[in-house]
């Protein structure tokens, strides 16, 4: 927003010096309109609960990627394990807190140029541009590491873990196929998670 306010403020000063107060107030009004428009545009792409980007932003990024970018683009899709148990056993307000907590963990875990998105419900996507597979795996490891640190802290009545799968956005892909490939990889890990719980006799525990 500073990119809009700075030039407009300078214009206000010049208008005041050379033309008087009336014209300067016009520029103040224009500056405020620009700020409001920028704020509205940002709100369209943000998820209010998690503080992350939303599905609309995901679609906008892929549309731009399809048209202009030649950099690699990887997507990591994740689903919160046992999220229904958190809601059922601890209440939906605690479930909301779990979503917020995961949002904060993702922001801390991904590279500065990465994008964390709450896609739907307890499903999240991280987009990484201009990276290789090694960087993707390192990011996933960092997410798991920070989740483990949160769980060890015991500051909340719930534990968090996620099942993650990743894929690269192919040259012939669109948003639907990209999502489908990520979803398939993620559910492979989800099945493994449930098999581990079953073999350990922990099927009904969070």
């Amino acid at each position: 927003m500073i990119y809009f306010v700075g030039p407009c403020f300078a214009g206000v000063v010049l208008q005041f010096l050379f033309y008087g107060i009336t014209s300067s107030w016009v520029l103040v009004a224009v500056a405020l309109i620009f700020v409001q428009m920028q704020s509205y545009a940002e709100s369209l792409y943000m998820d209010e609960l998690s503080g992350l980007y939303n599905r609309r932003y995901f679609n906008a990024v892929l549309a731009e990627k399809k048209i202009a970018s030649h950099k690699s683009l990887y997507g990591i899709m994740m689903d919160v394990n046992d999220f229904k148990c958190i809601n059922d056993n601890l209440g939906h307000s605690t479930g909301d807190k779990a979503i917020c907590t995961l949002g904060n963990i993702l922001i801390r875990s991904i590279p500065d140029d990465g994008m964390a998105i709450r896609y739907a419900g307890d499903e999240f996507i991280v987009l990484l541009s201009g990276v290789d597979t090694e960087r993707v795996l390192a990011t996933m490891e960092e997410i798991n590491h920070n989740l483990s640190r949160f769980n060890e802290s015991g500051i909340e009545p719930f534990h968090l873990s996620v099942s993650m799968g990743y894929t690269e956005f192919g040259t012939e892909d669109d948003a639907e196929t990209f999502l489908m490939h990520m979803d398939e990889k993620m559910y492979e890990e989800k099945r493994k998670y449930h098999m581990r719980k079953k073999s350990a006799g922990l099927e009904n525990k969070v």
Side-chain angles (χ1 to χ4, degrees), residues 74-78 124-126 128 136 139-140 164-166 182:
Y74 282 85
I76 305 168
M77 177 176 275
M78 64 196 76
F124 295 78
I125 294 173
V126 169
L128 301 172
V136 176
T139 300
M140 293 168 69
M164 290 186 279
Y166 75 92
M182 279 193 290

Side-chain angles (χ1 to χ4, degrees), residues 40-62 115-121 123-125 127:
Y40 176 70
E42 289 176 355
S43 70
L44 286 177
Y45 292 119
M46 300 303 295
D47 176 66
E48 185 176 350
L49 179 60
S50 66
L52 305 180
Y53 291 113
N54 59 20
R55 184 188 299 204
R56 186 181 286 110
Y57 182 80
F58 172 82
N59 291 331
V61 168
L62 291 193
M115 293 162 277
I117 297 158
R118 184 186 179 204
Y119 188 73
E123 289 187 349
F124 295 78
I125 294 173
L127 294 178

Side-chain angles (χ1 to χ4, degrees), residues 26-144:
V26 172
L27 276 179
V28 169
V30 171
L32 290 173
I33 290 170
F34 271 122
V35 169
Q36 194 168 23
M37 288 173 62
Q38 180 77 356
S39 178
Y40 176 70
E42 289 176 355
S43 70
L44 286 177
Y45 292 119
M46 300 303 295
D47 176 66
E48 185 176 350
L49 179 60
S50 66
L52 305 180
Y53 291 113
N54 59 20
R55 184 188 299 204
R56 186 181 286 110
Y57 182 80
F58 172 82
N59 291 331
V61 168
L62 291 193
E64 182 179 343
K65 162 70 179 173
K66 195 69 178 175
I67 295 170
S69 178
H70 299 292
K71 292 182 179 179
S72 65
L73 179 67
Y74 282 85
I76 305 168
M77 177 176 275
M78 64 196 76
D79 181 87
V80 180
N81 294 324
D82 304 308
F83 184 68
K84 185 177 184 299
C85 292
I86 295 175
N87 275 334
D88 291 348
N89 297 334
L90 301 174
H92 287 274
S93 61
T94 304
D96 287 348
K97 194 164 190 179
I99 293 294
C100 294
T101 300
L102 180 55
N104 290 330
I105 289 172
L106 290 180
I107 290 170
R108 296 199 310 269
S109 303
I110 66 175
D112 291 340
D113 56 352
M115 293 162 277
I117 297 158
R118 184 186 179 204
Y119 188 73
D122 62 329
E123 289 187 349
F124 295 78
I125 294 173
V126 169
L127 294 178
L128 301 172
S129 180
V131 300
D132 55 17
T133 304
E134 185 177 348
R135 185 77 179 276
V136 176
L137 293 174
T139 300
M140 293 168 69
E141 185 177 344
E142 183 68 11
I143 292 169
N144 279 326

